[in-house]
Amino acid sequence: MSERKVNFNPGPAALPLDVLKTVQSELLDFQGSGMSILESSHRAKEFEAVNDRAIELVREVLGLSADYHVLFMGGGASTQFALIPMNFVGEGQTAAYVDTGSFANKAMKEAQNITNVHVAFNGKEEKYRRMPAMDDIKYPSDAAYVHICSNNTIEGTQFHQFPNTGNVPLVADMSSDIASRQLDYSQFSLIYAGAQKNLGPSGVTLVIVRDDFLATARKDVPTILSHKTHADNKSLYNTPPVFGIYIMKLVLDWIQSNGGLAGVEKLNAAKKDLLYGAIDSAPDFYKGAAEKAARSWMNVTMRLPDEELEARFVADAKKEGILGIKGHRSVGGIRFSIYNAVTLADIQKTVDFMDKFRKSA
Ligand code: PMP
């Protein structure tokens, strides 16, 4: 086998090597069943046990109480952009959206196709370089919910403190930072995340919804598009994304065996300190793209003095086995997506490369 690369892909992204090895070892014969998990029925006891344990693990790892439903849905986070306003904005109500980045904006635009939207914060005019202070976020007290994106994957900014919305439910797109740090997850009424960054492969979307919020859901939504349908059926109303759920379970096992979110957070802190440290130590050459206070622990974005140097940086990194660092096509520059499965050794190798590249440029 060729050597595995340093993988900074933004999603689908690096998975823990131990998880991939388990998948490989179980692929042809899942736990003595004589078939792979891909081939067994979603109603078979083998899969049901995986599904049940994955639900339990989400609760254990995130520290959620029993009044949260854990759903595994299809369609990616983008489908939730539509399903959330469809399900949770009542007749004549308004939903509030905090616009801190490209995906937050997409979620808001989709909601505008469906319902009344109040813009609770507009970061677009400042090119999404900073995050709002808590009192910059304004919304009507009778809003159906306040929607935020906890980590802005493209811009490399992140909420490090969350608004206290009191009686107004707080809804978060955590696609790019779920399970990366310790948080009071109980401040959210609903959380959703495409799995393909921190939790597993693409094709499964984790949705966590608290019972009191689910009770407010509309009844006039098509069965398959209703969160309640999936909550009432442990995500087995129809055929779920079985392989994704299985891998998510393995990733959650891996998080638990690495000290849970406390262990993961410690490692992620060391990773981002090393990488931002390298950027800040050469300010005439590397420039962090986001305002310092807003910097993401998951997506580290930076610029070089010009685009030609950026292109060379990407090409030279590739020769060293460092991949997936070209910034999103909408913003350019360089982006290192340093999700949970990226190791400290990967970052050290990258920092060494950055130093060498700068000196040779
Ligand atoms: N929200 C965020 C924060 C994302 O980073 C992404 C994908 N990169 C999405 C939503 C869209 O997710 P999906 O492709 O699963 O629809």
Side-chain angles (χ1 to χ4, degrees), residues 76-78 81 103 149 151 153 173 175-176 196-197:
S78 302
F81 293 171
F103 285 109
C149 179
N151 184 74
T153 321
D173 173 2
S175 292
S176 50
Q196 64 269 22
K197 298 158 197 306

PDB file of all heavy atoms in Angstrom, residues 76-78 81 103 149 151 153 173 175-176 196-197, ligand 1:
ATOM      1  N   GLY A  76     -28.000  15.061   3.398  1.00  0.00           N
ATOM      2  CA  GLY A  76     -26.979  16.048   3.775  1.00  0.00           C
ATOM      3  C   GLY A  76     -27.552  17.182   4.606  1.00  0.00           C
ATOM      4  O   GLY A  76     -28.776  17.299   4.783  1.00  0.00           O
ATOM      5  N   ALA A  77     -26.650  18.021   5.090  1.00  0.00           N
ATOM      6  CA  ALA A  77     -27.072  19.169   5.890  1.00  0.00           C
ATOM      7  C   ALA A  77     -27.955  20.102   5.066  1.00  0.00           C
ATOM      8  O   ALA A  77     -28.856  20.752   5.592  1.00  0.00           O
ATOM      9  CB  ALA A  77     -25.845  19.911   6.422  1.00  0.00           C
ATOM     10  N   SER A  78     -27.712  20.138   3.755  1.00  0.00           N
ATOM     11  CA  SER A  78     -28.485  21.048   2.897  1.00  0.00           C
ATOM     12  C   SER A  78     -29.973  20.711   2.912  1.00  0.00           C
ATOM     13  O   SER A  78     -30.805  21.608   2.773  1.00  0.00           O
ATOM     14  CB  SER A  78     -27.976  20.969   1.454  1.00  0.00           C
ATOM     15  OG  SER A  78     -26.606  21.283   1.415  1.00  0.00           O
ATOM     16  N   PHE A  81     -31.555  22.407   5.696  1.00  0.00           N
ATOM     17  CA  PHE A  81     -31.815  23.841   5.465  1.00  0.00           C
ATOM     18  C   PHE A  81     -33.292  24.046   5.121  1.00  0.00           C
ATOM     19  O   PHE A  81     -33.894  25.060   5.483  1.00  0.00           O
ATOM     20  CB  PHE A  81     -30.978  24.381   4.285  1.00  0.00           C
ATOM     21  CG  PHE A  81     -29.482  24.432   4.502  1.00  0.00           C
ATOM     22  CD1 PHE A  81     -28.636  24.717   3.440  1.00  0.00           C
ATOM     23  CD2 PHE A  81     -28.915  24.225   5.750  1.00  0.00           C
ATOM     24  CE1 PHE A  81     -27.254  24.791   3.607  1.00  0.00           C
ATOM     25  CE2 PHE A  81     -27.538  24.286   5.933  1.00  0.00           C
ATOM     26  CZ  PHE A  81     -26.710  24.559   4.855  1.00  0.00           C
ATOM     27  N   PHE A 103     -22.434  28.974   4.326  1.00  0.00           N
ATOM     28  CA  PHE A 103     -23.468  27.961   4.585  1.00  0.00           C
ATOM     29  C   PHE A 103     -24.591  28.527   5.443  1.00  0.00           C
ATOM     30  O   PHE A 103     -25.758  28.163   5.248  1.00  0.00           O
ATOM     31  CB  PHE A 103     -22.858  26.696   5.194  1.00  0.00           C
ATOM     32  CG  PHE A 103     -22.122  25.885   4.160  1.00  0.00           C
ATOM     33  CD1 PHE A 103     -20.740  25.798   4.168  1.00  0.00           C
ATOM     34  CD2 PHE A 103     -22.807  25.248   3.140  1.00  0.00           C
ATOM     35  CE1 PHE A 103     -20.060  25.077   3.195  1.00  0.00           C
ATOM     36  CE2 PHE A 103     -22.132  24.531   2.159  1.00  0.00           C
ATOM     37  CZ  PHE A 103     -20.759  24.445   2.184  1.00  0.00           C
ATOM     38  N   CYS A 149     -24.882  28.904  12.487  1.00  0.00           N
ATOM     39  CA  CYS A 149     -23.944  27.888  11.994  1.00  0.00           C
ATOM     40  C   CYS A 149     -22.740  27.986  12.931  1.00  0.00           C
ATOM     41  O   CYS A 149     -22.080  29.029  12.976  1.00  0.00           O
ATOM     42  CB  CYS A 149     -23.562  28.208  10.546  1.00  0.00           C
ATOM     43  SG  CYS A 149     -22.384  27.038   9.864  1.00  0.00           S
ATOM     44  N   ASN A 151     -19.781  26.683  13.045  1.00  0.00           N
ATOM     45  CA  ASN A 151     -18.443  26.796  12.450  1.00  0.00           C
ATOM     46  C   ASN A 151     -18.586  27.027  10.949  1.00  0.00           C
ATOM     47  O   ASN A 151     -19.266  26.252  10.266  1.00  0.00           O
ATOM     48  CB  ASN A 151     -17.645  25.514  12.700  1.00  0.00           C
ATOM     49  CG  ASN A 151     -16.220  25.606  12.185  1.00  0.00           C
ATOM     50  OD1 ASN A 151     -15.378  26.275  12.775  1.00  0.00           O
ATOM     51  ND2 ASN A 151     -15.948  24.975  11.057  1.00  0.00           N
ATOM     52  N   THR A 153     -17.252  26.735   7.652  1.00  0.00           N
ATOM     53  CA  THR A 153     -16.277  25.857   7.006  1.00  0.00           C
ATOM     54  C   THR A 153     -15.438  26.564   5.948  1.00  0.00           C
ATOM     55  O   THR A 153     -14.252  26.282   5.804  1.00  0.00           O
ATOM     56  CB  THR A 153     -17.050  24.698   6.318  1.00  0.00           C
ATOM     57  OG1 THR A 153     -18.131  24.301   7.148  1.00  0.00           O
ATOM     58  CG2 THR A 153     -16.149  23.520   6.039  1.00  0.00           C
ATOM     59  N   ASP A 173     -26.454  24.515  12.955  1.00  0.00           N
ATOM     60  CA  ASP A 173     -25.779  23.679  11.963  1.00  0.00           C
ATOM     61  C   ASP A 173     -24.358  23.479  12.489  1.00  0.00           C
ATOM     62  O   ASP A 173     -23.561  24.412  12.511  1.00  0.00           O
ATOM     63  CB  ASP A 173     -25.775  24.408  10.607  1.00  0.00           C
ATOM     64  CG  ASP A 173     -24.943  23.667   9.552  1.00  0.00           C
ATOM     65  OD1 ASP A 173     -24.396  22.586   9.850  1.00  0.00           O
ATOM     66  OD2 ASP A 173     -24.845  24.202   8.420  1.00  0.00           O
ATOM     67  N   SER A 175     -22.253  21.116  11.240  1.00  0.00           N
ATOM     68  CA  SER A 175     -21.656  20.162  10.297  1.00  0.00           C
ATOM     69  C   SER A 175     -20.147  20.081  10.423  1.00  0.00           C
ATOM     70  O   SER A 175     -19.566  19.002  10.334  1.00  0.00           O
ATOM     71  CB  SER A 175     -22.013  20.553   8.863  1.00  0.00           C
ATOM     72  OG  SER A 175     -23.388  20.376   8.642  1.00  0.00           O
ATOM     73  N   SER A 176     -19.488  21.234  10.621  1.00  0.00           N
ATOM     74  CA  SER A 176     -18.032  21.179  10.572  1.00  0.00           C
ATOM     75  C   SER A 176     -17.350  21.308  11.938  1.00  0.00           C
ATOM     76  O   SER A 176     -16.135  21.422  11.993  1.00  0.00           O
ATOM     77  CB  SER A 176     -17.484  22.215   9.581  1.00  0.00           C
ATOM     78  OG  SER A 176     -18.034  23.477   9.817  1.00  0.00           O
ATOM     79  N   GLN A 196     -19.833  13.978   7.244  1.00  0.00           N
ATOM     80  CA  GLN A 196     -18.609  13.757   6.461  1.00  0.00           C
ATOM     81  C   GLN A 196     -17.377  14.575   6.855  1.00  0.00           C
ATOM     82  O   GLN A 196     -16.397  14.606   6.116  1.00  0.00           O
ATOM     83  CB  GLN A 196     -18.909  13.991   4.977  1.00  0.00           C
ATOM     84  CG  GLN A 196     -19.321  15.401   4.588  1.00  0.00           C
ATOM     85  CD  GLN A 196     -20.828  15.641   4.622  1.00  0.00           C
ATOM     86  OE1 GLN A 196     -21.536  14.933   5.287  1.00  0.00           O
ATOM     87  NE2 GLN A 196     -21.308  16.649   3.919  1.00  0.00           N
ATOM     88  N   LYS A 197     -17.417  15.206   8.035  1.00  0.00           N
ATOM     89  CA  LYS A 197     -16.218  15.929   8.488  1.00  0.00           C
ATOM     90  C   LYS A 197     -15.686  15.309   9.783  1.00  0.00           C
ATOM     91  O   LYS A 197     -14.561  14.827   9.819  1.00  0.00           O
ATOM     92  CB  LYS A 197     -16.535  17.407   8.674  1.00  0.00           C
ATOM     93  CG  LYS A 197     -16.960  18.052   7.350  1.00  0.00           C
ATOM     94  CD  LYS A 197     -17.768  19.294   7.564  1.00  0.00           C
ATOM     95  CE  LYS A 197     -18.546  19.732   6.354  1.00  0.00           C
ATOM     96  NZ  LYS A 197     -17.780  19.915   5.128  1.00  0.00           N
TER      97      LYS A 197
HETATM   98  N1  PMP B   1     -23.228  23.372   6.567  1.00  0.00           N
HETATM   99  C1  PMP B   1     -21.902  23.441   6.713  1.00  0.00           C
HETATM  100  C2  PMP B   1     -21.347  24.209   7.864  1.00  0.00           C
HETATM  101  C3  PMP B   1     -21.069  22.793   5.799  1.00  0.00           C
HETATM  102  O1  PMP B   1     -19.740  22.871   5.947  1.00  0.00           O
HETATM  103  C4  PMP B   1     -21.631  22.064   4.730  1.00  0.00           C
HETATM  104  C5  PMP B   1     -20.805  21.294   3.730  1.00  0.00           C
HETATM  105  N2  PMP B   1     -19.519  21.549   3.608  1.00  0.00           N
HETATM  106  C6  PMP B   1     -23.024  22.049   4.603  1.00  0.00           C
HETATM  107  C7  PMP B   1     -23.779  22.691   5.548  1.00  0.00           C
HETATM  108  C8  PMP B   1     -23.673  21.328   3.476  1.00  0.00           C
HETATM  109  O2  PMP B   1     -23.621  19.987   3.761  1.00  0.00           O
HETATM  110  P1  PMP B   1     -24.072  18.837   2.753  1.00  0.00           P
HETATM  111  O3  PMP B   1     -23.103  18.845   1.646  1.00  0.00           O
HETATM  112  O4  PMP B   1     -24.020  17.628   3.629  1.00  0.00           O
HETATM  113  O5  PMP B   1     -25.448  19.155   2.301  1.00  0.00           O
END
